[in-house]
Amino acid sequence: MYYKGGPEVLKYITFDVKAEEKVGIVGRTGAGKSSLIAALMRMPDPRGDIIVDGITANKLNLQAWRQSISVIPQNPILFSGTLRRNVDPTERFVDAEIWQVLQNVHLGELVKKLKNNLYHELTEGGKNFSVGERQLICLARALLQGNKIIVMDEATANVDFKTDQMIQETIREKFQNRTVLTVAHRISTIMDYNRVLVLDGGSLVEMDKPDVLLAREDSLFAQLTKHSKMDP
């Protein structure tokens, strides 16, 4: 629930995710996908327990918990200042490491063409970059931080198909040793994930490998895939 006395949004959900697994989260509008991510980030603290490596979330300082998970939302979060500061806000890394992650997310050549390279100034919200470029900057930040849990909350909803492909390629190649939870905008992008978690009405209705769910005639995932707009 989002406020005291409010309705239960998520209903008796129990599941486990293995280390380094890639799990897609799908469901119709209002199924509870965003609420599941909000619960993971403790916005607010859920009634049940979220346990990572044997540690219960609400036993930790809230800020420390949130800093241990990298979230890439639908609308990229950038701020005024240099490109370098947006990729490395805490200034913990050297320039060579910044260049490496920019290369990894397919932004290296673009940044080389900028007058001040890493020290190129972003306008408010990074609006002097395209939406796709802004999202790739956020991806570079997550890659640099090194957190073991990455959450993609419909991060590709506002980008073109080419940029979506770049993001998915980066996840496959550079996040192999991270656990990735992806609320999918395009179902086609999670077909090679380890498992898919399907929500409906705030409940978990099925969770298995994509091909296993597609093979079931009564699968909600199969229905969603059939009716989704598949990109070329």
Side-chain angles (χ1 to χ4, degrees), residues 111-131:
V111 177
K112 286 177 184 177
K113 295 176 183 177
L114 299 175
K115 183 178 179 181
N116 296 314
N117 303 136
L118 293 180
Y119 296 89
H120 182 79
E121 289 283 334
L122 275 69
T123 57
E124 183 179 357
K127 291 182 179 178
N128 50 337
F129 285 86
S130 71
V131 174

Side-chain angles (χ1 to χ4, degrees), residues 159-175:
V159 305
D160 57 37
F161 181 69
K162 182 178 179 181
T163 303
D164 192 349
Q165 291 294 91
M166 287 183 185
I167 291 173
Q168 299 305 326
E169 179 183 332
T170 300
I171 291 171
R172 284 191 292 270
E173 296 180 358
K174 306 301 178 183
F175 289 82

Side-chain angles (χ1 to χ4, degrees), residues 8 59 130 232:
E8 296 283 355
K59 302 296 183 183
S130 71

